[in-house]
Amino acid sequence: MGTYKVTWEKPRTSLGGFCVKTSFIGSEDPRGMSERPLQQPLNPKMVTVLLLLATLVGLFTTAKGQDFHLGKCPSPPVQENFDLIKYLGRWYEIETIPTTFENRICIQANYSLTENENVKVLNTELSPDGTINQVKGEAKQRDVSEPAKLELQYFVLGSPYWILATDYENYALVYSCIGLGIFHLDYVWILGRSPYLPPETITYLKDILTSNGINIKGMIPVDQANCPDSL
């Protein structure tokens, strides 16, 4: 007789997550149990369970800067009479819920119109070693009746990009949420036209979040000090 042994191993890549390693522990070794890789396919149901577990573990490790919340994504009201043209241009990231895909140093976002009237997105940040990282994306309005609700796409991945509040000249509050079955994952960005926003403005924007059931306890400031002009 023998049993299956399942272990989690980090892959040799920078993408995060875990790999599932399955072995069979038998009794061929006279000194005790021996371990060897599984030579026969697993039951399909077991494969499904293992893949689901691997996916969940990968999500939790990849998004280690985030908090998972029970329930569906909140649906807060967005900016009324949103004017996309006024929103275009450069924004500085002031505060955010930390993520693993941002260094939180000198982060800027620049929005411009494309030829097909979508929004070109260029995110720029400074790495700890001084190099400049840039990520390009594209946003589009799915429903003209709700212009403040955009869908932002990087590579093949899309996510909501909702402008909850903005005065176009000083501040903007952006919210996104990803549903993960019985959980959801919040993303929040407080943006400014300059690298600094008054504390009362930040408090006002955070009050919008909390009044709509969005947890802000994980939000932290973005370092915008001594950033190069060339970003």
Side-chain angles (χ1 to χ4, degrees):
M1 294 291 292
T3 59
Y4 294 116
K5 177 185 178 183
V6 179
T7 56
W8 305 95
E9 293 186 352
K10 285 190 174 182
R12 295 179 181 178
T13 71
S14 60
L15 298 178
F18 280 78
C19 294
V20 180
K21 177 182 177 182
T22 308
S23 304
F24 182 79
I25 302 176
S27 55
E28 297 173 359
D29 189 338
R31 296 170 298 176
M33 305 292 279
S34 65
E35 182 179 330
R36 65 179 187 274
L38 186 66
Q39 300 297 323
Q40 60 185 16
L42 291 172
N43 181 288
K45 290 185 178 180
M46 184 179 292
V47 172
T48 301
V49 171
L50 292 176
L51 289 175
L52 178 59
L53 289 173
T55 301
L56 289 174
V57 173
L59 286 170
F60 273 87
T61 54
T62 301
K64 61 185 178 182
Q66 304 281 309
D67 285 331
F68 287 79
H69 305 286
L70 280 172
K72 296 181 179 180
C73 288
S75 186
V78 295
Q79 175 66 43
E80 294 183 356
N81 304 313
F82 178 70
D83 189 328
L84 178 59
I85 300 302
K86 290 183 180 180
Y87 187 77
L88 299 176
R90 184 183 303 274
W91 290 94
Y92 295 85
E93 194 168 300
I94 307 299
E95 285 202 25
T96 185
I97 295 176
T99 64
T100 57
F101 52 81
E102 289 181 333
N103 291 315
R104 299 188 299 280
I105 302 175
C106 302
I107 302 175
Q108 301 178 14
N110 202 312
Y111 305 99
S112 59
L113 282 182
T114 64
E115 293 181 357
N116 59 359
E117 298 188 350
N118 289 335
V119 180
K120 177 183 177 182
V121 182
L122 178 62
N123 288 340
T124 307
E125 69 173 3
L126 190 67
S127 296
D129 62 2
T131 59
I132 296 175
N133 297 328
Q134 291 186 331
V135 177
K136 296 179 180 179
E138 187 169 346
K140 60 182 66 177
Q141 294 173 323
R142 288 295 187 185
D143 187 346
V144 293
S145 67
E146 294 183 301
K149 292 184 178 181
L150 286 77
E151 180 176 298
L152 180 59
Q153 187 168 19
Y154 292 106
F155 308 107
V156 296
L157 301 176
S159 60
Y161 182 99
W162 291 9
I163 299 94
L164 304 190
T166 184
D167 67 352
Y168 305 102
E169 297 180 357
N170 298 287
Y171 65 81
L173 176 62
V174 178
Y175 175 69
S176 182
C177 183
I178 297 175
L180 301 168
I182 62 173
F183 299 98
H184 70 271
L185 188 61
D186 292 323
Y187 294 88
V188 174
W189 297 271
I190 292 178
L191 307 177
R193 287 297 193 185
S194 70
Y196 169 82
L197 278 179
E200 57 268 24
T201 302
I202 295 175
T203 299
Y204 162 70
L205 297 174
K206 287 183 175 180
D207 286 345
I208 294 176
L209 297 170
T210 55
S211 65
N212 286 283
I214 300 169
N215 195 313
I216 64 169
K217 68 176 183 179
M219 294 189 69
I220 62 171
V222 174
D223 185 0
Q224 293 286 359
N226 303 313
C227 297
D229 296 333
S230 58
L231 280 179

